[in-house]
Amino acid sequence: RQTQSTWGQNSRKEIQTLRSDLVALEHFNKEASNEITKYVMEEMLRVEKEFKRLLNVDAAENTFLKQQVNQLNQDKVKLQQNALILETRVHEGETEVGFKNVYD
């Protein structure tokens, strides 16, 4: 009986130790889980901010490029108009001096 009593006490102590260890592990896991969650949330916010910043940079760059394309198109039209004006002047000048255009 002494052995059974000692064994029972040892078993209770072991169960108590295991319960205590379980509580400690649960606490540790909860803290680790909270830290990981916090890290993931912070990282997600950082990535979101960076993404929004890049969207703004892209939008600004697109606006700049559209302005450049518009300016180039305006310059192209002006050059075409100037070419027509010069072609007309050359033709008028040739007519005044009596130059016969071979290509007409």
Side-chain angles (χ1 to χ4, degrees), residues 12-30:
R12 282 187 216 117
K13 285 181 184 178
E14 188 175 340
I15 289 171
Q16 191 66 20
T17 303
L18 289 173
R19 284 183 179 159
S20 177
D21 289 348
L22 179 62
V23 168
L25 283 173
E26 286 175 346
H27 178 73
F28 174 78
N29 283 339
K30 181 75 170 175

Side-chain angles (χ1 to χ4, degrees), residues 15-81:
I15 289 171
Q16 191 66 20
T17 303
L18 289 173
R19 284 183 179 159
S20 177
D21 289 348
L22 179 62
V23 168
L25 283 173
E26 286 175 346
H27 178 73
F28 174 78
N29 283 339
K30 181 75 170 175
E31 283 187 4
S33 176
N34 288 342
E35 286 180 27
I36 290 170
T37 301
K38 180 183 174 189
Y39 172 78
V40 168
M41 294 299 289
E42 288 172 352
E43 192 63 16
M44 210 167 64
L45 287 173
R46 186 193 66 76
V47 168
E48 184 180 5
K49 285 179 184 177
E50 181 66 13
F51 180 73
K52 286 179 181 179
R53 186 188 69 78
L54 290 174
L55 281 178
N56 289 336
V57 168
D58 282 350
E61 188 173 328
N62 283 339
T63 300
F64 173 77
L65 290 173
K66 284 179 184 178
Q67 290 171 347
Q68 292 296 308
V69 167
N70 287 336
Q71 184 63 48
L72 289 171
N73 284 331
Q74 290 174 3
D75 291 348
K76 176 184 170 187
V77 169
K78 287 178 186 176
L79 288 172
Q80 289 171 335
Q81 290 171 344

Side-chain angles (χ1 to χ4, degrees), residues 4 79 103:
Q4 266 186 334
L79 288 172
Y103 301 107

